[in-house]
Each structure stands twice: as structure tokens, then as C-alpha cells.
Amino acid sequence: MATKLEALSNLGIPSENKVILSLDGGGMRGIFTVQLLKKLEEVAGAPCYTWCDMVAGTSTGAIIASLILTKHTAVEIEEKYINLVSKVFTKRNLFADRFINPPKFDKVNYRKYVKEIIGDVTLKEVCNDANLDCMLTSKDMSAGEETFFTCFKDSNGNYSGTYQDTLLRAIMEATMSAPTYFVPFERFIDGGTTTYNNPTLAAVMEAVQYSGSKRYNTNNLTVFSFGTGTTLKFIKPNETHNPTGPDIKFWLDYVMGETGKDASEMQIDILRSGLISGLQLRRYQVSFDKAMIQQIPDKAIKDIHNIKADSLHELEDDELGEIDMSDVTKFPLMKIIGESVAEFICPPSESNLEVSNRKGNWFREDFINKDTNRGTLVTAKGDIEAIKRNLSDHNWIDNQPTK
């Protein structure tokens, strides 16, 4: 196993830099993240908990972060995560439904399994054992604000944090209790319900300005940020007035999904803008649409339930757009997409090449299209000319529906 300095060198990180690992929420789509973490650890030559300084996570990302805090490798996390997902999305009863009779699922198996693998350890105990700082998120409905469960080591080696003595498994339940999917954990619901599904910017602020201000600074900071894939909602202009399906379902899904996506994109745009000088961001995300899936290596998927395509490149936008965070039938598909994106980032054909001769990303820099300043595998779609034309046409304006 590589030493910390060797791992940093393998990833092109200056030896003096602190490293933050931030993990988005996304339900069962977290298996996508796990595939990238497996490849990241392979390239580094060591588990994340040995060379990262801080981990942050929301919802499924917080579950993965908690397993890192308890010193699990990505391979070990995958095994436990698969077992967890197979147990957690259990319907509460025959009539349970997100919209008519919520919540859809119970948490009996989740609570039992998390207690088995985590036990009754506190946040401070796991941070101290792993020598890591952390920030895990949850929305406090009673206080009307996001709660950051933090634990940071100070310059004297002592840990601090408002909730450092709370049980880790309690935080793991607070952060995943997504509305309509699960019952709230007393006052707490899923940390990604509003703007913190991507906790990267909050993690940087917590480390640099607050809990870790004496040990972290942006001039010596590398931040790995992993998404769980984004499902894009492209609604044709002539369909927005009367969307497909029941209005309440459409708008609830749309608002919940787009709120988190837009907040995530805004945070990443800020971090990429240069407003925070010196920071090295390495963000990894993929859009679930045909154009992006066509760019990654093709893989067979013919044995996956409820999928018409036989390979990744045969997937159409309608199938990709239906990858819901709780749809466990798509779990094997998410795993394969993750494996394929990992190969796109680290092409197997370049494994034996010198670093200077590689063309792949290999986790050594931000995963970005430098022409568009957007993620390499993230779709941007707009119709600027049509918008300019229509919003300048008084007849078009006056003919738009008003009710």
C-alpha cells in the first residue's frame, strides 16, 4: 500500500496540500460514486481514509463518507453498499405510495443493518480513529435550517464539533430520510432536500472559514467532488403547459430534482470561477442522456431488468431519464455506468504509459471541457436564438396561455 505522500504524488497533488473528499446525495445512484472511488483508490495506491484530510457527504454520499470514516476501502464499501441498497428500499405496505400514501418505504432494515456494521460509535471516535475531519448534512425541520454534523481536529490534536458526541448511525439516518420516500428522523430529513445535495462548497467553507480555519487554506487545498449522475429534464416548449402524467407528481419530482441540480451546478460554477483563489477542484459528474452515454466505453446491459437496450450505447433518453434514486431495478445499470465512466477517466490502454504521455484525466485535474467550462460529461442545452426571437415578438407574447 502506498504511503500518504506516494498516494498524493500518484494523483498529482502537491505534498503540502490538504485534501477534501465530497460526496453528493442520490439514493441508490451512490453505486455510481463507489465505482469512481474504487478507481481513485487504485490510482492512488491506497484507501481514501489514508490520504484524505476531510470527508463530506449528504444522504447516500454521507453513508459512503461514514464508511470511509470507519476505515473501509472502496471495495469493502461496495460490498456493504450493495447489501444496504438491497435492504433499504422496502415498501412500507402494499398501499404505500410517495404521493397518495407516503412515505413509500420503511427504515426497519436500514436501521438494523447500519447498527450491525457501524455499532454505537460517536462521530468523534471514528474521526479520531481514522485521523479525519468530517462534515455530514441533514435538514432540521424544527429549526428551519441545514445542520452540519462536523468534527474537526485543532492544531493541538484535539477534536471539536457541536455534535461530536452523537452516534454516527443516528447521523446516517438523519441524512438519508428523504421526504415522501422515508419517514423523518424526528426533526431531521434528508440533507439534500434543499441546496446541500452537493456539499462541496459548504465543506470548503467549513474547513477554511470555520471549524478548520487554522489548518486549511485555499492556496494549499485539493477538493475531490463526486456526483451520482444527473437526470436532465428537457421539457419541450409546447409541452410545459400540459406536462405528461398527473400534475402533482410531475411538479413535485421536477421541483425536488431541479432544486438540487441547480444548487449543485451553481456551487460548482462558483468553485470553478476563480472567486476562491488557489483552490484545486476536481469534480466528477455525468448527465444521464444519450449524448453523454455515447462518449463513455460501451458495455453490455442485456441482462438488466426493465431495460430494452442490450448495451449502454443503445440506451435512449427516455430510459436514461427514468433513473430514479429509489428504483433498485436500475441499480445494476448504475454500477455499469460507473464502471464505464471510471474507464473513460482512466483509459485501460494508458495504464502502462508514463503520466506525461497519458491523455485521460486519471483524477489529476478537474474533469472539465475547457471550451465550455462545464463538466466533460455534463450536457448543456439551450435555444438562445428561439428565446430572443419569441420574447421580442409581441404577437407571440400575447398568444401565450394565461390559464
Side-chain angles (χ1 to χ4, degrees):
M1 184 173 70
T3 65
K4 180 173 181 175
L5 288 179
E6 290 170 340
L8 296 180
S9 176
N10 291 338
L11 294 167
I13 301 172
S15 59
E16 66 274 15
N17 276 25
K18 295 284 188 184
V19 179
I20 295 175
L21 176 63
S22 177
L23 307 174
D24 289 14
M28 68 84 194
R29 299 195 312 228
I31 193 64
F32 168 86
T33 304
V34 174
Q35 304 315 304
L36 302 192
L37 292 179
K38 283 167 60 181
K39 182 59 70 173
L40 176 67
E41 291 189 349
E42 180 184 318
V43 175
C48 292
Y49 66 81
T50 67
W51 51 269
C52 288
D53 297 283
M54 174 186 175
V55 292
T58 292
S59 193
T60 200
I63 294 170
I64 297 169
S66 296
L67 293 172
I68 293 173
L69 284 170
T70 48
K71 298 168 72 172
H72 289 87
T73 68
V75 171
E76 292 168 341
I77 291 172
E78 179 180 49
E79 178 185 358
K80 288 179 168 51
Y81 192 83
I82 291 172
N83 288 334
L84 185 63
V85 168
S86 68
K87 294 176 172 62
V88 68
F89 292 108
T90 306
K91 282 196 70 170
R92 187 166 50 87
N93 58 52
L94 182 63
F95 304 103
D97 180 86
R98 285 185 60 207
F99 306 101
I100 301 172
N101 184 24
K104 185 174 182 179
F105 308 107
D106 68 45
K107 296 188 290 187
V108 175
N109 289 336
Y110 177 81
R111 186 177 297 174
K112 179 181 177 182
Y113 187 63
V114 168
K115 186 174 182 179
E116 287 176 1
I117 61 177
I118 299 297
D120 286 331
V121 293
T122 66
L123 192 59
K124 178 181 178 180
E125 287 171 338
V126 294
C127 287
N128 185 58
D129 187 49
N131 193 29
L132 285 168
D133 300 324
C134 82
M135 185 195 81
L136 308 174
T137 74
S138 184
K139 176 72 175 182
D140 185 336
M141 295 177 67
S142 298
E145 63 183 15
E146 196 79 7
T147 295
F148 296 150
F149 294 98
T150 61
C151 191
F152 276 74
K153 183 168 63 175
D154 63 25
S155 55
N156 296 319
N158 300 313
Y159 279 91
S160 63
T162 302
Y163 302 108
Q164 62 176 316
D165 293 320
T166 57
L167 296 185
L168 178 60
R169 68 183 181 93
I171 300 170
M172 291 173 70
E173 184 167 338
T175 190
M176 61 74 71
S177 298
T180 73
Y181 291 98
F182 301 102
V183 67
F185 186 57
E186 204 241 6
R187 64 197 298 147
F188 293 109
I189 57 175
D190 192 302
T193 303
T194 53
T195 59
Y196 295 98
N197 195 58
N198 176 351
T200 308
L201 181 59
V204 171
M205 291 174 60
E206 190 68 34
V208 174
Q209 294 293 330
Y210 300 107
S211 298
S213 60
K214 294 183 179 179
R215 295 175 49 242
Y216 292 79
N217 71 82
T218 58
N219 290 319
N220 300 108
L221 185 62
T222 300
V223 180
F224 285 97
S225 175
F226 289 92
T228 58
T230 177
T231 303
L232 302 178
K233 303 286 187 182
F234 295 134
I235 314 300
K236 294 179 181 179
N238 61 350
E239 296 177 356
T240 57
H241 189 62
N242 188 25
T244 303
D247 282 1
I248 187 171
K249 180 181 186 302
F250 173 84
W251 288 112
L252 181 59
D253 281 345
Y254 187 85
V255 171
M256 287 180 67
E258 293 299 296
T259 298
K261 182 177 75 67
D262 288 353
S264 174
E265 291 177 355
M266 180 195 68
Q267 293 176 56
I268 295 304
D269 286 346
I270 290 173
L271 291 170
R272 282 175 170 157
S273 69
L275 285 173
I276 304 177
S277 63
L279 181 144
Q280 293 185 5
L281 176 68
R282 303 181 188 185
R283 170 69 173 173
Y284 296 87
Q285 178 67 299
V286 63
S287 298
F288 294 140
D289 65 273
K290 186 172 183 177
M292 291 299 106
I293 297 299
Q294 290 284 325
Q295 293 192 41
I296 63 179
D298 201 11
K299 288 182 178 291
I301 56 173
K302 61 182 180 180
D303 295 326
I304 297 179
H305 183 60
N306 283 343
I307 294 291
K308 293 178 289 186
D310 290 332
S311 70
L312 289 179
H313 287 184
E314 293 179 11
L315 286 166
E316 298 293 337
D317 284 338
D318 59 342
E319 288 184 302
L320 290 163
E322 294 175 354
I323 304 179
D324 182 78
M325 61 173 257
S326 67
D327 186 356
V328 293
T329 67
K330 303 295 193 305
F331 189 72
L333 175 62
M334 286 303 309
K335 184 175 184 294
I336 292 173
I337 292 176
E339 292 169 347
S340 183
V341 171
E343 289 183 11
F344 184 89
I345 295 168
C346 304
S349 61
E350 297 180 2
S351 296
N352 296 321
L353 297 180
E354 294 292 331
V355 171
S356 59
N357 294 326
R358 290 174 172 173
K359 295 182 179 180
N361 176 274
W362 290 90
F363 299 107
R364 298 180 69 87
E365 60 183 1
D366 197 8
F367 193 47
I368 192 173
N369 182 322
K370 294 177 181 174
D371 292 330
T372 64
N373 207 37
R374 286 183 173 269
T376 301
L377 293 176
V378 175
T379 294
K381 188 175 182 179
D383 194 347
I384 295 173
E385 293 307 314
I387 294 171
K388 289 166 63 177
R389 181 177 63 252
N390 291 338
L391 270 63
S392 302
D393 183 344
H394 62 88
N395 287 324
W396 181 90
I397 298 169
D398 292 338
N399 285 326
Q400 293 306 298
T402 58
K403 60 181 179 180

